[in-house]
Amino acid sequence: MPLHSLVEGTHEVYLDSRPLRNPSTKKTLAIPSSKPHLATAIALEWDLLTSIRDTLRTHLLPLTSIASRAHDMLVEESPDGSARSTKTRKEIVTSLLRYLNTDTLLCWDPHEEDAGDVQDLPSLRHLQIRTALPIIDFLTTHIWPGVELVPSLKSNSIHPVDQPREVQDIIKSWMFCLSPWDLAGLERATLAGKSLLVGARLLVEWSESFRGSQEWGSKDERSGAKFGIEAAAEACSLEVRWQTGRWGEVEDSHDVEREDLKRQFGSVVLVVGGTGG
């Protein structure tokens, strides 16, 4: 079984007697000492591989890939390096900012009233707003104070509305200042859920860099639970769940997608979390 050990202040994962390396830089994949759970989980996912061929299937190594992404930025941005660069960071921030204007959490059903169905279920728009507002309120109160986010779709319109330029600039600056581990986690969460806002909410809830923010009444008012994997997955797949609730789900499709989304969010929690030491 692959093991990890603390070497010169960082965790290293060993495959037999050889340290695991970053595929892109060929350097040893060093995990911060404050993230022992991440190191253990990376060792475990390698232990679960059944053949050499599995090492080429990146979907089987979600933690290794996201840790390598963060490590890429660390190597580029290290002041000890021969040429400090923020190329990867800029590319990630630019890419993620594009999701803001069509964010899943802001794309509400444009119809003010929905006929519903025979079971008198709440309208899709009602559920979307009820899910989105607590997340938006938390972010605009504690993370981006004063920012006003607008719905991507106006009532009875299918044309998306861009967020104000000043809002985009504030969120862009916030992302640019994140640690490599947090930015890699935000990227994974945003790509998986198609929502920068849900990704930011999940990041702040679990990152060791945001311990202060986690004390600001971050628990869900209804369940009393932290904003975690289940809550993030539900927020990002609300429309799918509403539709399948009315028409039924396709076996081995909707259920598989739902579990994979939670798996992706789980990798985010591990990569951004830590002991804070």
Side-chain angles (χ1 to χ4, degrees):
M1 175 180 177
L3 301 173
H4 75 85
S5 60
L6 197 60
V7 179
E8 296 182 354
T10 60
H11 293 282
E12 295 180 0
V13 177
Y14 283 83
L15 309 178
D16 294 327
S17 59
R18 295 165 296 178
L20 180 62
R21 297 184 180 277
N22 184 327
S24 59
T25 65
K26 307 304 180 185
K27 295 179 179 292
T28 299
L29 185 59
I31 308 299
S33 60
S34 63
K35 299 181 183 293
H37 298 99
L38 174 61
T40 301
I42 290 176
L44 179 60
E45 73 177 5
W46 278 87
D47 186 52
L48 293 175
L49 300 182
T50 58
S51 67
I52 295 297
R53 185 175 299 178
D54 284 351
T55 62
L56 302 177
R57 298 170 177 167
T58 55
H59 67 281
L60 297 177
L61 298 166
L63 293 170
T64 302
S65 64
I66 193 174
S68 297
R69 183 66 156 165
H71 195 255
D72 287 341
M73 283 185 277
L74 282 170
V75 172
E76 280 187 359
E77 300 171 7
S78 173
D80 299 328
S82 57
R84 186 172 184 177
S85 170
T86 56
K87 179 176 180 293
T88 300
R89 177 179 292 272
K90 289 178 179 177
E91 290 175 349
I92 293 175
V93 169
T94 300
S95 175
L96 295 186
L97 199 61
R98 298 192 186 105
Y99 282 83
L100 184 60
N101 292 328
T102 55
D103 196 288
T104 297
L105 203 67
L106 296 175
C107 287
W108 304 339
D109 185 351
H111 300 96
E112 290 284 2
E113 299 294 337
D114 190 281
D117 61 9
V118 295
Q119 297 176 326
D120 293 325
L121 294 176
S123 70
L124 175 59
R125 181 181 177 85
H126 173 77
L127 291 175
Q128 288 172 324
I129 294 175
R130 189 176 71 181
T131 300
L133 288 184
I135 298 174
I136 294 172
D137 288 346
F138 180 87
L139 293 173
T140 56
T141 300
H142 303 300
I143 310 305
W144 312 313
V147 164
E148 294 186 10
L149 297 165
V150 298
S152 296
L153 297 176
K154 291 184 176 180
S155 299
N156 301 312
S157 173
I158 61 172
H159 299 290
V161 177
D162 288 349
Q163 298 297 322
R165 173 53 58 184
E166 58 270 21
V167 170
Q168 297 187 45
D169 289 342
I170 290 172
I171 296 177
K172 179 179 180 179
S173 298
W174 177 79
M175 288 192 291
F176 202 83
C177 293
L178 294 174
S179 74
W181 299 96
D182 285 352
L183 186 56
L186 180 62
E187 180 186 35
R188 170 69 61 84
T190 302
L191 296 181
K194 306 298 184 292
S195 173
L196 176 60
L197 301 183
V198 171
R201 182 67 183 87
L202 187 66
L203 163 67
V204 171
E205 187 69 34
W206 294 97
S207 171
E208 60 181 337
S209 303
F210 287 91
R211 289 293 172 83
S213 303
Q214 294 161 7
E215 298 174 358
W216 293 335
S218 60
K219 292 186 176 181
D220 184 89
E221 293 181 357
R222 290 171 294 175
S223 66
K226 295 183 66 173
F227 187 87
I229 297 169
E230 292 284 350
E234 288 182 7
C236 291
S237 58
L238 179 59
E239 183 174 355
V240 173
R241 290 189 296 107
W242 188 81
Q243 295 288 359
T244 56
R246 299 182 68 180
W247 312 110
E249 68 176 29
V250 178
E251 189 176 357
D252 294 332
S253 176
H254 292 122
D255 52 342
V256 173
E257 290 176 358
R258 181 170 59 249
E259 293 306 313
D260 183 66
L261 180 59
K262 290 192 285 188
R263 183 178 71 110
Q264 300 289 351
F265 285 150
S267 68
V268 172
V269 170
L270 278 170
V271 83
V272 305
T275 61

